[in-house]
Amino acid sequence: MKKLFLLLIVFIIPFSGFTHSGKAKYHVIIDTDCAPDDLRAITYMLASHDFEVIAITTSDGLLHPDEGYIKIKSLLAEYNHEGIPVAFGKTINKTDSQCHGLCKSVVWGDTSDIVLPEKPGAEELLKKSLIHEDEPVYIVCMGPLTNIQTITDGQVVNKDDKIVWYCSDYKNKQGTNYLMDKQSADKVTQSGVNMFIVSNNNEDGFNFDMEFLDKVTGFDNKYSKGIKSSYNNKGVQNRINSGFYSLWDDLLPVYMQNPDLFVKNNVGGNITTIVPSKDSGESVKRRIAEVMNLKDNNENKVFSSFPENPKLYKDDVSPYVQETISKYGISEWRAVTITNELHGHLGIYSVVGAKMGIRVREYFAIGLDDLIVVSYTGKTPPLSCMNDGLQVSTGATIGHGLIEISDTGDKGPYADFTFKNNKIRVYLKESYRKQVVSDIRKGIADYGNLTPEYWEFVRKLAIQYWIEWSRDEMFIIEVM
């Protein structure tokens, strides 16, 4: 149940993102009809540490809900965020939208392994996500409000929750997102739930052109590359070149983070309309580019930014700094570096633990301090060294009381991770474990056990595994 002090805080500091260090500011449910601009807005929220995406539901708009479900699941798999729950809503439009063919042709990711559930589950997922979430929830809507009216009818949406909806002309009861399901839109807007309805008001400077596309897709990270890959579509690029596209759903997360760039107008009771400030287009685009360049990383608590200069590292590590950060990201580099400083030497299983923790955070698309961890490594080195990596990479430290070393079950390089009501078990693949065992045996045979030469050998192995082993390939994730 929602906590009373959170109810008070949200009214005192709207959209302030009351949170302790390391936590996301905005806990969001995304409802989308999977138009190409939705892809950009969803990617923006996944790229920013300010947003924790609790769930995603698909509505019947430019794509039908089942088609949107496939798009979302493929996108989350592309970004390694498979742990975010997804469900599709009911189909209400018997005919395809005018843009249906183009929207369907946009590739969001690999769909070959995706299985569509037998029936819609959006209403159930929305209710479950809202009931079990302690923080205020922002329901970010990028299409018709078909799914949302199913939860406002039942009073599931709490008074500290908010709906943020893109509608290009709500004042005149126009706009694609309104017209696709007018009945549901009227029900939701009359429900009394706090609604913030965003549009770009046809202001100059909010066009989405090839120059801006090149900017947001020119960064060396999976999110920027994901948009670039999806927008490598002749039909979409023709529309961009014709001046058709603008910043639409992109404005929703930008507004939540930067309300100072927008103008609010309360049009009665629970409804507030939002438009960008005059001449704010460049500022909005700059903010989008900063997020897509991963410039709002909030993991550091002492550093303003984590050291990336190779000259600051030991001679045997410095040649690999830039290459490894480029391959695996700054979060993993930070976690492995801090783990080994804490651990007292460059250790093999400490590296494995750090990579495992980052992979799990990536799976759920969450920040630090959000996981409960049960480790099955035991308390005897070298296997137990994995626990240092798990603590640093997840924030589930002994001090926070979020990690437990189990005394039961078979010992091995695996651990359980719980996030809200979701639990997974993650194993180091057997081929990797066997390689570690084989390499360590060789080291003992060649240099003796725990000799200075042995530890130098272990250090070389740890660096090798650090730069060569991809967390995408190392682990088996089992949903429990």
Side-chain angles (χ1 to χ4, degrees):
M1 299 296 292
K2 311 278 180 167
K3 296 179 176 61
L4 179 60
F5 75 93
L6 289 172
L7 296 179
L8 297 173
I9 289 168
V10 76
F11 286 114
I12 296 170
I13 318 176
F15 282 4
S16 67
F18 175 79
T19 174
H20 72 70
S21 178
K23 294 285 188 179
K25 294 179 181 179
Y26 310 106
H27 297 248
V28 304
I29 294 171
I30 297 172
D31 188 73
T32 171
D33 67 346
C34 295
D37 60 313
D38 297 30
L39 184 153
R40 302 191 312 252
I42 293 166
T43 297
Y44 178 107
M45 284 184 275
L46 293 171
S48 171
H49 287 268
D50 280 349
F51 295 90
E52 180 184 293
V53 180
I54 301 166
I56 302 177
T57 56
T58 60
S59 58
D60 195 8
L62 297 186
L63 283 181
H64 299 305
D66 54 343
E67 296 170 334
Y69 176 91
I70 300 295
K71 298 288 189 189
I72 293 296
K73 291 289 285 186
S74 67
L75 184 74
L76 295 179
E78 195 77 15
Y79 294 153
N80 292 335
H81 299 326
E82 310 96 318
I84 298 176
V86 184
F88 66 96
K90 295 178 181 178
T91 300
I92 59 169
N93 298 308
K94 295 182 180 179
T95 58
D96 293 342
S97 68
Q98 186 178 1
C99 297
H100 177 267
L102 174 61
C103 294
K104 192 172 181 179
S105 73
V106 177
V107 176
W108 291 40
D110 181 9
T111 62
S112 58
D113 294 329
I114 298 173
V115 178
L116 186 72
E118 293 183 1
K119 59 182 180 178
E123 181 178 353
E124 180 183 353
L125 178 58
L126 287 166
K127 289 179 178 178
K128 177 183 176 182
S129 301
L130 286 162
I131 289 170
H132 290 291
E133 179 56 53
D134 288 334
E135 302 285 347
V137 174
Y138 301 91
I139 305 171
V140 181
C141 302
M142 307 175 185
L145 298 178
T146 311
N147 293 330
I148 309 308
Q149 65 87 18
T150 66
I151 55 174
T152 53
D153 281 354
Q155 298 299 307
V156 178
V157 179
N158 207 310
K159 61 183 178 180
D160 57 328
D161 300 324
K162 294 175 173 64
I163 295 172
V164 187
W165 180 39
Y166 188 88
C167 183
S168 58
D169 190 7
Y170 173 74
K171 179 181 177 181
N172 296 307
K173 299 297 179 74
Q174 294 293 315
T176 302
N177 289 345
Y178 177 83
L179 294 174
M180 284 189 295
D181 188 356
K182 294 185 284 186
Q183 185 177 11
S184 291
D186 290 339
K187 281 185 177 181
V188 175
T189 54
Q190 293 165 17
S191 68
V193 177
N194 288 321
M195 290 193 68
F196 296 81
I197 302 176
V198 180
S199 71
N200 69 14
N201 207 30
N202 296 316
E203 289 280 351
D204 292 335
F206 289 88
N207 59 309
F208 191 91
D209 54 22
M210 290 301 297
E211 181 181 356
F212 187 55
L213 175 63
D214 289 342
K215 187 167 188 176
V216 298
T217 61
F219 303 117
D220 187 21
N221 63 70
K222 62 186 175 183
Y223 303 109
S224 183
K225 292 175 181 177
I227 294 178
K228 184 173 185 176
S229 176
S230 294
Y231 271 60
N232 186 23
N233 177 293
K234 190 172 293 185
V236 170
Q237 294 193 0
N238 286 341
R239 289 210 163 196
I240 294 174
N241 288 324
S242 71
F244 176 83
Y245 282 126
S246 183
L247 295 181
W248 295 320
D249 292 316
D250 321 64
L251 296 179
L252 300 177
V254 177
Y255 162 66
M256 293 171 66
Q257 286 183 313
N258 307 271
D260 55 304
L261 297 177
F262 294 79
V263 176
K264 297 194 298 184
N265 179 34
N266 186 278
V267 295
N270 60 311
I271 306 295
T272 301
T273 58
I274 309 292
V275 295
S277 304
K278 189 173 178 58
D279 300 325
S280 64
E282 287 305 311
S283 297
V284 169
K285 289 181 177 179
R286 182 166 56 251
R287 180 55 182 155
I288 292 172
E290 288 172 351
V291 169
M292 294 309 303
N293 196 19
L294 307 186
K295 290 299 186 184
D296 65 341
N297 189 314
N298 65 352
E299 294 180 12
N300 298 314
K301 304 298 174 276
V302 176
F303 295 106
S304 58
S305 61
F306 199 75
E308 299 181 34
N309 185 345
K311 293 181 180 179
L312 298 174
Y313 292 86
K314 296 284 189 179
D315 290 344
D316 55 352
V317 175
S318 64
Y320 308 109
V321 175
Q322 294 175 345
E323 173 193 353
T324 310
I325 292 174
S326 178
K327 283 171 64 176
Y328 307 130
I330 189 64
S331 289
E332 183 186 294
W333 180 263
R334 174 186 181 277
V336 177
T337 301
I338 294 177
T339 292
N340 285 296
E341 290 294 336
L342 167 70
H343 194 60
H345 68 91
L346 264 165
I348 294 169
Y349 278 110
S350 59
V351 170
V352 170
K355 284 179 176 279
M356 181 181 289
I358 293 295
R359 178 66 182 99
V360 173
R361 282 179 47 205
E362 192 173 47
Y363 178 86
F364 289 117
I366 55 175
L368 293 165
D369 306 342
D370 280 324
L371 290 163
I372 297 172
V373 180
V374 178
S375 168
Y376 294 92
T377 63
K379 300 177 182 178
T380 304
L383 192 56
S384 64
C385 301
M386 198 174 95
N387 297 321
D388 287 349
L390 291 175
Q391 290 183 86
V392 171
S393 59
T394 65
T397 63
I398 293 172
H400 284 151
L402 296 175
I403 189 169
E404 172 190 346
I405 314 302
S406 175
D407 292 326
T408 62
D410 296 332
K411 300 296 184 288
Y414 70 100
D416 293 344
F417 300 85
T418 302
F419 172 62
K420 300 189 188 300
N421 294 309
N422 304 300
K423 185 176 181 180
I424 59 175
R425 177 166 288 177
V426 183
Y427 301 85
L428 178 67
K429 287 181 178 177
E430 184 65 9
S431 58
Y432 289 84
R433 188 195 70 80
K434 285 182 176 179
Q435 183 176 342
V436 172
V437 171
S438 174
D439 287 343
I440 288 179
R441 283 176 179 168
K442 183 179 186 304
I444 293 173
D446 290 348
Y447 305 110
N449 193 16
L450 307 182
T451 64
E453 292 80 11
Y454 166 82
W455 287 116
E456 185 61 30
F457 173 75
V458 167
R459 179 181 176 90
K460 290 178 180 178
L461 280 180
I463 293 173
Q464 178 186 338
Y465 297 158
W466 184 359
I467 64 177
E468 292 182 0
W469 284 6
S470 168
R471 64 179 183 270
D472 296 347
E473 305 294 335
M474 292 169 60
F475 304 109
I476 296 172
I477 298 177
E478 179 183 292
V479 178
M480 302 180 70

